[in-house]
Amino acid sequence: MSHRGARDDDSCGKRRVAYVHSPEYIECCDSLSKVPNRASMVHSLIEAYGLLEHVSTIKPQVATIEDMAKFHTDSYLEHLHKISQDGDNDDPQSVDYGLGYDCPVSEGIYDYAAAVGGATLTAAQCLVDQKCEVAINWAGGWHHAKKDEASGFCYVNDAVLGILKLREKYERVLYVDVDLHHGDGVEDAFSFTSKVMTVSLHKFSPGFFPGDVCDTGLGKGRWYAVNVPLEDGIKDDRYYQIFTRVMQEVRAQFNPEALVMQLGADTMAGDPMCSFNMTPVGVGQCLQHVLEWQLPTLLLGGGGYNLANTARCWTYLTAAVLGKTLASEIPDHEFFTEYGPDYSLEISPSCRPDRNETKHLDQVISTIKGNLKNVV
């Protein structure tokens, strides 16, 4: 296997990194109709660059129904289990549980949910047991699922399960979501508590997922939800600028003890969502910013529908966590032909205009800073 590219970057100390993986887990995730074979493509590229030598590979446990019931209702999980056995798309009850239109039912969907939920719980447990400083589950990050329903192609909210696991040891957990879509399921799960702060930077427009700057949590959790609504076309530099301005304030006011970051790659230039205009470099800068806090950190995937670009992004981010610089040429491996015509790790931004106005963004950040002053 070619190890071109895993060159040390001394600016990152030697982090202990756990990487959740097994062939069975990858095979299960590959079956997801929305992102077929994506898990294999991501893992294969990480492996081709020789990055697995620098991580501890941890075999994921499968979540039990009791594990998932720490968040999801018994009735939802039982229904998912029932229809999963025969792939029954016609059960009249399914619509009550969000199953159907954008969460299609297929045979084995419950096993997939248990695999993803279990993998994120395995990663979180590594952090709780202090076996690593950073734990990675790129096939996780399904942030839309609600307590009692599937939503937005998410059947289990593994991010919520991971946060609850971290809460067994850490008093204050920060959730940061840089997917294109609002992390609504995670925000809703913790909207009434001051122990978990949720921060979501996302596309905000009519007909898209919600998450306006005025959505700040409820009851004891008021001011502990932070939403940064963005318009189409945003590029790396401006995104990083906004991210750091918000996160500096969040850290100062909330002072988290552990961190969960969802790194959906549907913000990348070239994604079929055609919204943001980012590259892995910009997201990597955001990730490095929070890694400098040296907190126990759980990293999750999420969206990302240009499969090759998603693999590029998460491979680049894995290298960033490890303090490695990767060669530009994609190494020869099973999915090499998917990276044409340039066979390069880089993603180039398109010429799409940035619809974000500086004055409006300054107002958003000013509002967020004002809101965070209320955090006790």
Side-chain angles (χ1 to χ4, degrees), residues 35 123 126 165 167 191-192 238 258 301 326 340 363-364:
V35 284
C126 284
K165 174 58 71 178
R167 279 278 296 120
S191 60
F192 285 95
R238 180 174 261 180
L326 300 181
Q363 282 172 337
V364 166

Side-chain angles (χ1 to χ4, degrees), residues 1 3 178 239 314:
M1 190 62 73
H3 292 178
V178 296
Y239 192 98
W314 293 342

Side-chain angles (χ1 to χ4, degrees), residues 20-82:
V20 177
H21 166 75
S22 73
E24 299 78 15
Y25 179 49
I26 293 291
E27 188 182 343
C28 184
C29 295
D30 274 349
S31 66
L32 201 57
S33 61
K34 183 95 169 166
V35 284
N37 293 331
R38 188 180 76 175
S40 278
M41 283 182 68
V42 171
H43 176 72
S44 296
L45 192 60
I46 288 169
E47 183 179 42
Y49 270 111
L51 294 174
L52 295 182
E53 290 170 25
H54 309 286
V55 299
S56 301
T57 300
I58 311 288
K59 183 179 164 65
Q61 303 293 309
V62 175
T64 63
I65 200 158
E66 292 78 17
D67 289 334
M68 292 188 283
K70 293 266 167 56
F71 173 55
H72 294 287
T73 60
D74 290 342
S75 59
Y76 169 67
L77 293 168
E78 284 159 11
H79 183 77
L80 192 65
H81 188 256
K82 182 178 78 146

Side-chain angles (χ1 to χ4, degrees), residues 105 245 270 315:
V105 173
R245 286 171 72 188
T315 300

Side-chain angles (χ1 to χ4, degrees), residues 131-330:
K131 290 179 178 168
C132 61
E133 282 104 34
V134 179
I136 300 173
N137 176 23
W138 289 130
W142 299 100
H143 57 171
H144 295 311
K146 308 293 194 294
K147 194 180 173 75
D148 55 359
E149 62 175 305
S151 172
F153 213 73
C154 302
Y155 301 88
V156 62
N157 201 316
D158 64 291
V160 169
L161 297 178
I163 292 166
L164 292 172
K165 174 58 71 178
L166 291 173
R167 279 278 296 120
E168 291 174 14
K169 182 178 176 73
Y170 301 105
E171 181 71 8
R172 291 180 308 284
V173 178
L174 175 63
Y175 173 75
V176 180
D177 191 315
V178 296
D179 194 278
L180 178 69
H181 302 85
H182 177 223
D184 59 335
V186 185
E187 182 182 305
D188 288 356
F190 298 108
S191 60
F192 285 95
T193 179
S194 59
K195 303 298 185 187
V196 176
M197 180 174 279
T198 60
V199 180
S200 179
L201 292 84
H202 50 263
K203 171 171 170 157
F204 184 75
S205 70
F208 219 65
F209 278 86
D212 205 353
V213 71
C214 56
D215 299 326
T216 57
L218 302 159
K220 281 188 178 173
R222 190 168 184 214
W223 314 118
Y224 290 84
V226 177
N227 284 296
V228 188
L230 299 167
E231 300 275 344
D232 281 348
I234 195 161
K235 291 166 93 164
D236 288 350
D237 289 352
R238 180 174 261 180
Y239 192 98
Y240 176 64
Q241 210 179 11
I242 293 161
F243 182 88
T244 50
R245 286 171 72 188
V246 170
M247 295 314 297
Q248 280 161 354
E249 205 69 25
V250 162
R251 186 190 186 195
Q253 300 300 332
F254 182 61
N255 190 25
E257 294 176 9
L259 172 74
V260 177
M261 190 166 185
Q262 196 270 22
L263 292 145
D266 43 5
T267 56
M268 293 295 107
D271 193 89
M273 297 304 297
C274 285
S275 294
F276 289 1
N277 200 7
M278 304 276 294
T279 80
V281 175
V283 180
Q285 289 174 318
C286 295
L287 175 56
Q288 288 293 12
H289 179 81
V290 295
L291 287 175
E292 282 166 15
W293 302 351
Q294 297 187 326
L295 298 174
T297 300
L298 172 57
L299 302 181
L300 304 172
Y305 308 102
N306 177 322
L307 306 188
N309 277 4
T310 301
R312 285 178 168 106
C313 182
W314 293 342
T315 300
Y316 178 90
L317 296 181
T318 305
V321 172
L322 294 166
K324 304 289 176 192
T325 303
L326 300 181
S328 180
E329 306 82 39
I330 298 283

